[in-house]
Amino acid sequence: MTWLDLPGGASAPTVALLVLAALVAGWVDAVVGGGGLVQLPALLVGLPAASPAQVLATNKVSSVAGTATAANTYGRRVRPDLATAVPMALTALAGAAAGAACATLLPQRVFRPLVLVLIVGVGIYTWRRPDLGRVHAPHPDPRRHRVVAVVAGVGIGFYDGIFGPGTGSFLVFALVGLLGYGFLQASALAKITNLATNVGALLVFIPHGAPLWRLGLLMATANVAGGWTGARTATTRGSGFVRAVFLLVVSVLVVRLAWDVVHGR
């Protein structure tokens, strides 16, 4: 066992690679969501002796720090619509807690084919509409805003708690495609909501003693640096840049999920 008390006694190079993965994941997640595509597989490969609950919980410990940093940076530079963000985040927190509680009851292979179809649809829809999300033009009906935000929050929050990959991308797409936000403003709101889903999942994982705290906090430091850098990059480069990264992340997610489905994982 190493000084980090990791299952299987992971070596120093492994820990260094996990910290690097957390840094990259923080940047990607801050720009458009999808940091789990980097960080979660890294944890699965680097800690083969860890239980699924330990991997998921440690991933959340790291992610919550980076997401909080990104949300704070966006809040100061973009001024997100809190009237939409707050109810969406609160319902997402409850949904994520419920999803995490159900995570051990339903096999993840049940979700992969469905999520693959959905994310392919999201990618094609966004690619075929080049002007989508370039202009910030929220739907004028405040009641519709609240209803869509609450429904999307609880649904995507539950998904994040029980499965996870692509949560940030689904949040951004819901805000852009259903409510008319620009990609930059949608990313800002998605960070606030994603922070709530991470907290909701941790509220379930922590009482069961799942997180590997020392590793999680070490990775969190790198995730914070990545989150701060990513949020500043996105706010500087604008919605066009965020859209391009969004399509790239969606493409990677499609490849990963297709691989899992084909190989029966």
Side-chain angles (χ1 to χ4, degrees):
M1 302 290 278
T2 68
W3 66 275
L4 286 174
D5 294 331
L6 299 180
S11 65
T14 297
V15 172
L17 288 174
L18 290 174
V19 171
L20 178 60
L23 176 68
V24 175
W27 188 91
V28 172
D29 207 54
V31 174
V32 75
L37 293 172
V38 179
Q39 188 167 266
L40 193 56
L43 282 165
L44 289 169
V45 172
L47 303 177
S51 69
Q54 286 177 317
V55 169
L56 290 172
T58 304
N59 178 59
K60 290 299 182 187
V61 169
S62 175
S63 297
V64 74
T67 305
T69 301
N72 179 62
T73 302
Y74 274 116
R76 289 185 286 105
R77 297 170 72 96
V78 178
R79 306 290 183 184
D81 176 15
L82 295 181
T84 300
V86 172
M88 190 176 191
L90 291 176
T91 54
L93 188 152
C102 296
T104 58
L105 303 178
L106 296 173
Q108 291 189 1
R109 64 177 179 273
V110 171
F111 295 95
R112 286 191 176 94
L114 176 60
V115 175
L116 178 59
V117 172
L118 289 175
I119 203 70
V120 167
V122 165
I124 292 174
Y125 184 82
T126 304
W127 176 67
R128 289 178 61 86
R129 297 187 62 183
D131 293 332
L132 182 70
R134 289 185 178 274
V135 178
H136 182 57
H139 194 281
D141 185 352
R143 182 177 180 182
R144 181 178 186 274
H145 247 68
R146 288 191 294 270
V147 171
V148 173
V150 166
V151 172
V154 69
I156 297 174
F158 182 85
Y159 167 79
D160 190 34
I162 200 170
F163 187 50
T167 295
S169 298
F170 282 129
L171 285 169
V172 169
F173 181 76
L175 290 162
V176 172
L178 300 179
L179 291 178
Y181 282 90
F183 269 103
L184 181 61
Q185 290 79 7
S187 285
L189 289 180
K191 286 306 100 192
I192 296 172
T193 306
N194 211 174
L195 173 62
T197 65
N198 287 336
V199 171
L202 278 175
L203 290 176
V204 174
F205 286 131
I206 290 176
H208 293 84
L212 302 170
W213 282 108
R214 291 181 179 178
L215 175 63
L217 293 175
L218 187 61
M219 293 176 66
T221 302
N223 204 269
V224 164
W228 181 83
T229 305
R232 290 180 67 87
T233 302
T235 54
T236 300
R237 300 290 294 274
S239 287
F241 173 76
V242 176
R243 179 182 184 274
V245 177
F246 175 82
L247 287 171
L248 177 61
V249 169
V250 166
S251 299
V252 173
L253 181 58
V254 167
V255 172
R256 179 197 162 184
L257 289 173
W259 176 272
D260 288 345
V261 169
V262 169
H263 290 80
R265 295 181 180 180

